[in-house]
Amino acid sequence: MRIVVCESPEQVAEVAADESIEYLGLACASTAKNPESTVLGLATGSTPLGLYQKWIERFRSGEISFRNVVSFNLDEYCGVPPEDPQSYHYFMQGNLFKHIDILPQNTHIPHTNSDDLPASAEAYEIAIAQAGGIDLQILGIGSEGHIGFNELGSSFSSATRVKTLTSKTRQDNARFFASLEQVPKMAITMGLGTIMNARAVLLLATGLHKAQTIRDTVEGPVTAMVPASILQFHPNATLILDAAAASKLAHLDYYLECERNQQSL
Ligand code: PGA
């Protein structure tokens, strides 16, 4: 695992934008010269908003293009239609897609308005494979260590499926709803196996409330009780943290030294 520690959430967003730039098309590259598409795995929640803002700014300045990007979001609530402002469809449209040149047909978010949710989840997993797999997966992390909606106890080899949300996740997300009762109880989420198949992973975390779960993820045992800890097995996982989220890491000095040495290579 590579650990990058930043001074502020703003810097986390800037560094994440820099780290992801090689996966995005350069605005000046013609489609003919740059036909390969990149498959991005995208996340919702508060944490990636700063990164999405940076992408939008860089797109507007003409630096990057999403013309050749195919995206797959991690998850979607069950029982929330796409046009509902609480849906992740709505979130992605408002916070990223409508501001950039990604082709609507290239964006994917699990369909939860289906009569057959398990079949919908299975079709999503197949669609990811048919797109060639995920090149770069963006992740936030829940306060109990979930990634996507892979709650504690999730199988390390799980594929996209329907999951029941923990009461802690529902409480954490209640801030986006009028009341706790309105927070959905289930979601379709990529599995831990799906995420582990991504060729590179960029996990962002900010704030003191994430410090313990970051410590457990990086320095604790690999356990399904902290689903993000499986990233210790990922060959190309980078965690970009602000100082608060990194504040409980026992080996912080070592991670800082590793980064300084990397820069000098
Ligand atoms: P947050 O959510 O970015 O809003 O903290 C992260 C998550 O639940 O994965």
Side-chain angles (χ1 to χ4, degrees):
M1 270 178 166
R2 178 178 164 218
I3 313 293
V4 181
V5 182
C6 301
E7 281 168 15
S8 62
E10 165 75 16
Q11 203 192 351
V12 167
E14 194 71 46
V15 171
D18 288 343
E19 288 290 324
S20 55
I21 205 96
E22 66 179 284
Y23 295 91
L24 304 172
L26 296 178
C28 59
S30 78
T31 315
K33 278 190 197 151
N34 188 16
E36 298 294 327
S37 61
T38 291
V39 182
L40 284 185
L42 298 177
T44 51
S46 316
T47 313
L49 285 174
L51 168 62
Y52 296 164
Q53 199 50 48
K54 297 287 171 203
W55 279 351
I56 293 165
E57 286 167 16
R58 290 179 188 207
F59 165 69
R60 285 188 179 146
S61 73
E63 190 186 345
I64 58 171
S65 165
F66 293 78
R67 209 73 191 163
N68 292 331
V69 168
V70 174
S71 73
F72 286 89
N73 263 78
L74 281 167
D75 43 25
E76 178 59 287
Y77 289 123
C78 295
V80 181
E83 62 280 5
D84 188 313
Q86 308 296 354
S87 75
Y88 288 162
H89 281 77
Y90 195 95
F91 176 102
M92 290 308 299
Q93 202 52 39
N95 289 301
L96 183 62
F97 296 154
K98 78 172 183 191
H99 303 288
I100 58 175
D101 62 345
I102 196 164
L103 300 172
Q105 64 269 29
N106 285 350
T107 65
H108 304 85
I109 301 176
H111 290 296
T112 55
N113 52 350
S114 144
D115 290 341
D116 188 343
L117 292 173
S120 176
E122 207 178 313
Y124 198 73
E125 188 75 23
I126 291 169
I128 293 171
Q130 284 174 342
I134 293 169
D135 293 304
L136 175 68
Q137 176 66 54
I138 306 295
L139 294 175
I141 184 169
S143 58
E144 286 185 317
H146 74 199
I147 45 178
F149 276 131
N150 291 286
E151 304 287 39
L152 46 87
S154 287
S155 160
F156 283 165
S157 56
S158 49
T160 304
R161 69 215 184 288
V162 182
K163 275 300 282 187
T164 295
L165 308 185
T166 64
S167 51
K168 181 72 169 77
T169 292
R170 293 186 64 240
Q171 280 161 24
D172 286 350
N173 291 2
R175 67 190 192 280
F176 300 113
F177 292 80
S179 68
L180 180 59
E181 289 64 47
Q182 289 182 19
V183 183
K185 296 197 162 89
M186 298 172 91
I188 288 183
T189 180
M190 279 186 204
L192 292 176
T194 323
I195 293 169
M196 288 298 285
N197 283 337
R199 286 179 268 280
V201 169
L202 213 51
L203 183 148
L204 316 183
T206 58
L208 202 51
H209 61 302
K210 298 287 173 73
Q212 186 59 45
T213 199
I214 287 297
R215 168 149 194 188
D216 294 341
T217 296
V218 177
E219 297 176 338
V222 175
T223 165
M225 291 299 110
V226 183
S229 66
I230 194 181
L231 295 176
Q232 291 180 32
F233 284 130
H234 197 286
N236 189 6
T238 300
L239 275 60
I240 306 181
L241 314 171
D242 72 350
S247 61
K248 291 196 177 167
L249 289 170
H251 301 285
L252 181 58
D253 288 346
Y254 174 67
Y255 309 135
L256 295 171
E257 189 192 341
C258 287
E259 275 308 295
R260 278 195 300 273
N261 290 344
Q262 277 302 120
Q263 315 263 320
S264 69
L265 289 181

